[in-house]
């Protein structure tokens, strides 16, 4: 077991060995195997896409990796520490599927609040996070007056405020217009280039090609892993959706 | 009006409520529980045995009457003993070793000879006005029976005095402590319960728990936040209840006063402390119970189950000493009971922090607040599924 490196100071992005590891991870809800024996290792500086239909176990997997849930069996490790671990959470960003922001507070107050919980001491960090999602001029607007897309951006800002080396994004672009979606992804790319490990869950296949690697999920399992091009080639199709269905079919056939 | 649309609506309403099992259960169980409890209290409520001291200041003729009163009390199942003087009796009532004292005045014999009514003074503590008036009613019967032996013409006049406060000078004085305590408890619970439920349903709790925040920190933060508003609420309520700000006449406007001007014997800051500890407990109770609620409606439905029994069993409405014996152990575990008692000690008896009964109340309230804070933080699980 390795030790956790000390949290990165607010300013400079230290090249931390951001590694996510799952080992025979299982999560049962009663008789349902929401996560059914998943093992993988994710390297720093890359964007991973968890792709699968609703109910395939993407959110449950993210919750196990962020320590929100305790695995029924197996091991989830982030930055070398078994989850759940509160210490590691200071270095993990998590954008939930629902906005998870306080409607009665302003945009600035939301970002500052989460910054304080993450232990951010750098006073400029909340401002930077708002600038990144292009909300700096809306900092004093109460969330209830923001549009759906603006709330999504604010939600992302709250996940970035502590400049985490590991970032989990649960369906980040749902309800986000195409233009903003492009901005989101270019920002994710910039973060990854800076060494951040990013895990994005989505059921939108056309976003998949922006990821370095895809993990196809179905019924709580990872049924295939590889780059978009690689997966298409293996499935013998140009269409990622078709590729997913081929891999799903194989699983169904072998069961 | 379309019958079809109306039917679609009522079917939807029925289907929704049918699937909301907790609401459904409470809809039927809560009224049965509350009405059952009230009926039980009223039917099985008992008049507790009196422990009376008789002070005879009337010499020989008085001792005959004292003997009659004592034997007539004993036939009712009460205890009666002689006390040497009024000071001793007063001390016994104050420390609770006697329920009340009956004082036969020095001019008793003269009254009897004149054939007039005799006046008997009854001394109670004054801390439990409703309960004491019940005791007085019992005592009245015994006194009438005893005095009738001596003075055929007129029933005795009972003059009621209390160790603390003056009886019935202001009818609200007896109820003020209970009302202040109950409403603070009630509103702090609702405010916290609903807010924390929003935290759970709005996705922000999930996000909170994905930060390094500890569960105890969440409970502490909530307690301070809602504690602030509870403090302001209590401060305003106390000022309103106890204050009497006189506004002089101005032109056509007559003079009037703002505030209820409820008399308080003790120090308002100490009363404030009692209510504040109760409120801190209510914050944690709200967080704890929000675990079991899925909707804001369900938070409200805990009121008849959790708050109504406290209301009924903490001396707010019914005197504790007249509750059915079976319910008495429950009284001991009702946090509100300690707040109401503590407030009565301060409002009526003028207790300060050196008072043993008040210290006990404060300690219990502190313990309850700490207990529920721990329970509440345990219910905030990292595992939200």
């Amino acid at each position: 077991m390795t030790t956790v490196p000390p949290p990165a100071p607010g300013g400079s992005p230290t090249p931390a060995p951001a590694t996510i590891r799952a080992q025979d991870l299982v999560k049962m809800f009663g008789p349902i195997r929401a996560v059914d024996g998943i093992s993988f290792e994710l390297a720093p500086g890359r964007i991973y896409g968890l792709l699968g239909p609703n109910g395939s176990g993407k959110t449950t997997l993210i919750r196990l990796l962020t320590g929100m849930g305790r695995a029924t069996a197996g091991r989830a490790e982030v930055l070398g520490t078994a989850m759940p671990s509160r210490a590691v959470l200071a270095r993990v960003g998590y954008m939930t599927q629902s906005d998870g922001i306080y409607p009665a507070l302003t945009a600035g107050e939301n970002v500052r609040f989460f910054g304080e919980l993450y232990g951010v001491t750098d006073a400029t960090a909340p401002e930077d996070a708002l600038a990144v999602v292009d909300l700096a001029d809306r900092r004093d607007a109460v969330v209830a007056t923001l549009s759906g897309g603006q709330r999504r951006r604010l939600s992302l800002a709250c996940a970035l405020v502590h400049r985490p080396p590991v970032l989990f994004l649960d369906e980040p672009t749902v309800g986000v217009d195409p233009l903003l979606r492009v901005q989101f992804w270019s920002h994710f790319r910039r973060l990854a280039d800076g060494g951040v490990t990013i895990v994005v869950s989505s059921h939108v296949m056309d976003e998949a090609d922006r990821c370095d690697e895809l993990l196809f999920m179905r019924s709580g399992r990872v049924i295939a892993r590889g780059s978009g091009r690689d997966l298409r080639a293996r499935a013998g199709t140009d269409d990622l959706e078709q590729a997913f269905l081929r891999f799903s079919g194989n699983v169904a056939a072998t069961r | 009006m379309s019958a079809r649309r109306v039917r679609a609506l009522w079917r939807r309403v029925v289907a929704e409520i049918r699937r909301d099992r907790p609401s459904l259960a409470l809809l039927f169980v809560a009224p049965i529980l509350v009405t059952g409890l009230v009926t039980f209290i009223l039917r099985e409520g008992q008049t507790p045995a009196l422990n009376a001291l008789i002070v005879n200041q009337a010499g020989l003729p008085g001792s005959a009457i004292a003997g009659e009163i004592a034997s007539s009390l004993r036939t009712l199942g009460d205890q009666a003993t002689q006390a040497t003087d009024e000071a001793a009796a007063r001390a016994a009532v104050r420390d609770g070793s006697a329920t009340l004292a009956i004082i036969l005045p020095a001019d008793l014999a003269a009254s009897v000879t004149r054939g007039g009514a005799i006046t008997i003074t009854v001394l109670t503590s004054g801390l439990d006005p409703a309960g004491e008036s019940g005791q007085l009613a019992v005592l009245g019967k015994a006194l009438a029976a005893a005095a009738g032996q001596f003075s055929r013409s007129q029933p005795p006049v009972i003059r009621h005095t209390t160790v603390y406060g003056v009886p019935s000078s202001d009818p609200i004085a007896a109820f003020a402590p209970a009302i202040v305590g109950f409403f603070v408890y009630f509103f702090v619970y609702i405010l916290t319960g609903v807010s924390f439920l929003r935290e759970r349903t709005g996705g922000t709790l999930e996000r909170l728990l994905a930060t390094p925040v500890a569960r105890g920190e969440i409970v502490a933060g909530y307690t301070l936040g809602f504690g602030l508003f509870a403090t302001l609420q209590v401060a305003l309520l106390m000022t309103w209840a106890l204050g009497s700000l006189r506004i002089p006449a101005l032109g056509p406007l007559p003079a009037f006063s703002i505030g209820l001007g409820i008399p308080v014997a003790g120090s308002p800051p100490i009363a404030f402390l009692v209510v504040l500890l109760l409120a801190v407990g209510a914050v944690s109770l709200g967080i704890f119970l929000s675990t079991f609620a899925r909707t804001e409606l369900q938070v409200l439905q805990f009121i008849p189950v959790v708050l109504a029994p406290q209301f009924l069993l903490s001396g707010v409405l019914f005197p504790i000493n007249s509750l059915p014996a079976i319910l008495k152990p429950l009284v001991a575990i009702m946090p509100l009971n300690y707040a109401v008692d503590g407030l009565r000690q301060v409002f009526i008896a003028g207790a300060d922090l050196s008072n043993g009964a008040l210290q006990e109340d404060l300690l219990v309230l502190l313990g309850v607040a700490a207990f529920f804070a721990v329970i509440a933080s345990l219910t905030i699980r990292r595992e939200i599924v």
Side-chain angles (χ1 to χ4, degrees), chain B residues 343-368:
Chain B
L343 285 175
R344 281 192 174 140
Q345 297 287 348
V346 177
F347 274 48
I348 300 174
D352 58 21
L353 290 176
S354 66
N355 178 294
L358 181 59
Q359 285 173 359
E360 191 189 302
D361 291 330
L362 288 172
L363 274 180
V364 171
L365 288 172
L366 195 65
V368 167

Side-chain angles (χ1 to χ4, degrees), chain A residues 27 63 68 86 102 155, chain B residues 199 206-207 212 382-383:
Chain A
K27 179 64 181 180
R63 281 179 173 164
M68 304 289 298
R86 279 208 295 128
Y102 294 93
S155 181
Chain B
E199 191 100 69
E206 181 172 8
R207 185 155 218 161
R382 290 214 167 256
E383 186 160 358

Side-chain angles (χ1 to χ4, degrees), chain A residues 10-242:
Chain A
S12 58
T14 46
T19 304
I20 301 168
R21 190 176 292 131
Q23 243 169 22
D24 304 319
L25 214 49
V26 175
K27 179 64 181 180
M28 312 273 298
F29 295 127
I32 299 162
R33 299 176 84 85
V35 168
D36 190 9
I38 289 181
S39 299
F40 56 63
E41 281 189 16
L42 309 181
R46 290 173 74 82
I47 303 178
Y48 295 90
L50 290 181
L51 252 69
N54 291 321
S56 57
K58 303 186 298 286
T59 296
T60 307
L61 177 62
I62 289 182
R63 281 179 173 164
L64 293 180
L65 292 172
T66 52
M68 304 289 298
R70 208 172 272 278
T72 311
R75 187 179 165 87
E77 232 177 63
V78 173
L79 297 168
T81 303
M83 298 303 284
S85 151
R86 279 208 295 128
V88 170
L89 288 179
R91 314 186 65 218
V92 172
Y94 178 31
M95 181 178 172
T96 47
Q97 209 166 5
S98 60
D99 287 336
I101 47 181
Y102 294 93
L105 300 187
T106 66
E109 285 167 339
N110 267 288
V111 178
R112 278 195 297 277
F113 171 68
F114 283 105
E116 279 165 10
L117 291 187
Y118 281 117
V120 171
T121 49
D122 178 3
T124 61
E127 207 50 41
D128 293 349
L130 282 177
V132 155
V133 297
D134 205 13
L135 275 180
D137 57 334
R138 301 288 283 155
R139 93 175 60 79
D140 296 323
V142 172
V143 167
T145 66
L146 297 180
S147 72
Q150 288 172 327
R151 287 182 208 194
R152 224 50 213 134
R153 273 142 71 188
L154 178 58
S155 181
L156 177 62
C158 292
L160 296 177
V161 62
H162 54 310
R163 300 184 178 113
V166 174
L167 193 55
F168 291 98
L169 308 165
D170 199 356
E171 312 251 357
T173 56
V174 169
V176 171
D177 64 70
L179 196 67
L180 187 63
R181 204 175 280 204
V182 171
Q183 288 177 28
F184 263 35
W185 279 102
S186 68
H187 186 68
F188 297 160
R189 176 54 61 198
R190 241 175 306 148
L191 288 172
D193 290 346
V196 176
T197 309
I198 301 179
V199 178
V200 185
S201 86
S202 178
H203 58 260
V204 187
M205 295 291 171
D206 63 8
E207 286 185 346
D209 276 327
R210 300 176 184 276
C211 302
D212 297 312
E213 241 180 286
L214 299 175
L215 288 84
F216 279 172
M217 285 194 65
R218 198 189 150 107
S219 309
R221 292 183 171 196
V222 175
I223 54 174
R225 178 180 172 171
S227 69
R229 185 183 300 170
D230 171 38
L231 290 173
R232 282 192 191 85
R234 274 157 60 192
T237 168
D238 284 342
D239 182 41
L240 207 55
E241 216 152 300
Q242 283 300 319

Side-chain angles (χ1 to χ4, degrees), chain B residues 90-283:
Chain B
R90 187 171 280 270
V93 172
R94 181 182 290 127
D95 71 21
S97 58
T99 329
L100 49 81
I102 302 160
I103 299 157
L104 304 178
D107 64 352
L108 185 91
S111 302
V112 172
T113 322
R114 271 203 318 269
I118 57 170
T119 301
I120 295 172
T121 302
V122 176
L123 179 74
T124 62
S125 80
L127 279 177
D128 178 15
E132 285 163 25
S133 48
Q135 293 159 1
L136 245 62
V138 173
L139 190 65
K141 285 181 208 156
L143 289 181
Q149 311 266 335
F150 298 87
S151 164
R152 279 141 296 153
S153 53
Q154 292 184 40
V157 176
I158 297 177
R159 200 171 67 86
H160 180 203
T161 67
T162 54
V163 174
Y164 303 117
V166 182
S168 8
S169 71
D170 187 349
I172 189 63
F175 291 100
I179 291 172
V180 169
F182 180 74
F183 279 102
V184 169
Y185 200 62
F186 181 78
F187 286 115
V188 171
Y189 162 73
I190 300 227
L191 201 60
T192 320
V194 170
S195 304
F196 208 79
L197 187 80
R198 283 199 193 140
E199 191 100 69
R200 288 183 196 275
T201 55
T204 48
L205 186 63
E206 181 172 8
R207 185 155 218 161
L208 273 186
L209 294 178
T211 73
V213 77
R215 298 178 298 186
E217 289 166 354
I218 296 178
V219 174
Y222 258 79
T223 303
L224 288 175
F226 286 108
L228 173 71
F229 287 99
T231 307
L232 295 176
Q233 185 198 35
V234 176
L236 185 68
L237 185 61
M238 289 271 194
T239 311
W240 165 247
L242 310 180
S244 52
L245 179 66
R246 293 213 56 81
I247 307 293
L250 187 74
L253 294 170
F256 64 102
S257 66
I258 297 175
L260 301 178
I262 296 169
V264 56
S267 122
I270 296 178
F272 186 78
L273 179 68
V274 174
V275 180
L276 202 61
L277 282 177
L278 182 72
V280 168
V283 170

